[in-house]
Amino acid sequence: MNRNILLTPGPTMIPSEVREALGRPIIHHRTPQFQNNIKEAIEGLRYVFQTKNEIYLLTCSGTGAMEASVCNLLSPGDKAIVVEGGKFGERWVELCEAYGIEAKVIHVPWGKAVQPRQVEELLSANKDAKAVFITQTETSTAVLTDVKAIADVVKKTNAVLVVDCVSGLAANDLQTDEWGVDVVVSASHKGFMLPPGLAFVSVSSKAYKLVETSTNRRYYFDLRESKKAFAQTDTPFTPAIGIVIGLVESLKLIKKAGLENWFAHQALLAQGTREAIKALGLSLYTHPSCFSNALTAVNVPAGIDGDKLVKILRDEHGVTMTGGQSELKGKIFRVAHMGCVCEEDIITGISFLEKVLEQLGYKFNQQAGVKTAQKVFNVKKTGV
Ligand code: PMP
């Protein structure tokens, strides 16, 4: 069985143009050729991040870029506000703890989004908070946070807004400059359709002032070193050369489609998936007010073993979806549709989902999921 459809929230599938670039002979990084790649990559990233801010490439996974933000912006004993509504919000809390930052945590019920008013209230009670950490798409719950509304609150204060867009960027609109988002963190292996190993962080001038005054010890992730190196179109250490070269190609694909069309396509895939799931009589885990284009979380129906469902789909049919994490283990499964997933991938995924659900004894209207997805995709075409 050669089928290998990844409907997973990272790593995601890699388009052929990008695979070709990843397979090119390696070049040395301190060369004009590689400098051209850095230039093109940063330019393309600025288009997707919708910013003129500086963007640094870091050789690490998404968590490394999260850690870089915490250890560069804050100093031990500083106070920060953290929104926790899932596993990745928890990661911000853990990172703050690791660096001796006092985290004032807003615990949001999993499956729902934080209300901007909650951030506003906590900020006005903690005027000395230096940063607000949020998650754009909380991958563990498929919740999309209203980043713009929170930015409206934070930009009136001295605090900086730091957004984890590891899974959400290039799937959902994020207007860094227009909305006033200070730090945006993302990574290669999700919406950017690349292997893991490269992360990105954009830094506003307001945030960079904190980088300069932080008394935290840092070395590999010292953004002052990144700033110096990137000013010379260079990197402080050996970069993930191959992935940077692949990034240039994946950014070209997004640019060619146009950001608006790209988002419309991601939104269509998400809509088709949600409607197909509902047509099977399954329910969505995420509150309807905060669906993300990046992935869909589905409640495992009563009497069905969610882990078994995911395992059979992957091992017998070559379709990889993911189960729930932490407290959601066995209770939900997640269908991701970010990156280069296409309509046919979703239809194939739903078709095998139906097959396995039937095998596990779940009663539903046969073919209802596939037909519904087809209907959604036939009505709306995005041209991507
Ligand atoms: N934040 C979010 C929202 C994520 O989805 C992930 C990865 N699933 C991470 C952070 C951590 O990224 P990584 O596993 O690349 O370190």
Side-chain angles (χ1 to χ4, degrees), residues 9 23 180 208 221 255 289 306:
Y208 196 76
F221 288 132
K255 186 83 199 272
S289 59

Side-chain angles (χ1 to χ4, degrees), residues 111-113 135-138 141-145 286-287 290-292:
K112 291 194 174 151
T135 314
Q136 185 208 28
T137 290
E138 174 50 77
T141 61
V143 162
L144 179 71
T145 298
T286 312
H287 192 273
C290 48
F291 289 138
S292 171

Side-chain angles (χ1 to χ4, degrees), residues 9-10 61-64 66 88 91 135 137-140 164-168 187 189-190 196 325:
S61 76
T63 307
M66 292 172 77
F88 297 102
R91 191 156 302 174
T135 314
T137 290
E138 174 50 77
T139 320
S140 60
D164 168 0
C165 289
V166 170
S167 71
H189 54 301
K190 307 207 184 230
Q325 295 169 288

Side-chain angles (χ1 to χ4, degrees), residues 42-52 55 136 168-179 184 186 191-193 250-268 293 339 382-384:
I42 302 288
E43 209 175 287
L45 286 171
R46 286 207 171 111
Y47 173 69
V48 178
F49 279 60
Q50 303 184 61
T51 189
K52 293 194 170 63
I55 300 182
Q136 185 208 28
L169 205 66
N172 300 282
D173 193 18
L174 184 107
Q175 301 180 22
T176 304
D177 290 355
E178 184 64 28
W179 299 351
V184 175
S186 195
F192 290 98
M193 309 170 282
S250 72
L251 289 166
K252 275 186 200 159
L253 294 175
I254 299 176
K255 186 83 199 272
K256 189 168 161 218
L259 212 44
E260 233 174 84
N261 290 334
W262 195 265
F263 293 142
H265 178 65
Q266 305 282 330
L268 179 64
N293 289 340
T382 61
V384 174

